[in-house]
Amino acid sequence: MSPLALAIACLLTITIGYVGMCAASPFGTCRKCNGFGFAMETDRKGRPKRGKSCRRCKATGKRIRAGRWLFNRAQRIYREGTH
């Protein structure tokens, strides 16, 4: 198999895998708060405590994946264009 065909096959496999993951699980953990929904802080003794709520995920700990966001946007544009 030529290197070009191998590269295309690898990219196609990764793309199909990501599409499947976005379809099965459209929400992933928030990268800002690591899925906690709030920032971890430490008190003066060094023990962890709850900080402020995460503004990026609105304290849910979950965010929509980029691929799912693009799919939803494309669906919305198509729906609005056909009516």
Side-chain angles (χ1 to χ4, degrees):
M1 187 178 262
S2 70
L4 180 61
L6 185 62
I8 291 171
C10 286
L11 287 175
L12 189 62
T13 303
I14 290 170
T15 303
I16 290 173
Y18 184 69
V19 167
M21 186 175 61
C22 286
S25 175
F27 295 97
T29 57
C30 179
R31 293 184 304 267
K32 176 93 172 173
C33 64
N34 294 324
F36 287 124
F38 53 87
M40 291 298 291
E41 294 179 354
T42 55
D43 59 5
R44 291 189 292 176
K45 294 181 181 178
R47 292 181 297 209
K49 69 173 191 171
R50 182 186 167 113
K52 292 182 178 180
S53 295
C54 181
R55 293 182 349 185
R56 186 175 288 180
C57 65
K58 298 184 177 102
T60 61
K62 297 288 183 186
R63 292 194 62 203
I64 194 158
R65 295 186 193 277
R68 186 61 185 214
W69 183 85
L70 287 171
F71 177 75
N72 290 348
R73 181 62 52 122
Q75 257 190 335
R76 187 177 303 124
I77 291 171
Y78 176 77
R79 232 183 353 251
E80 290 173 358
T82 56
H83 283 117

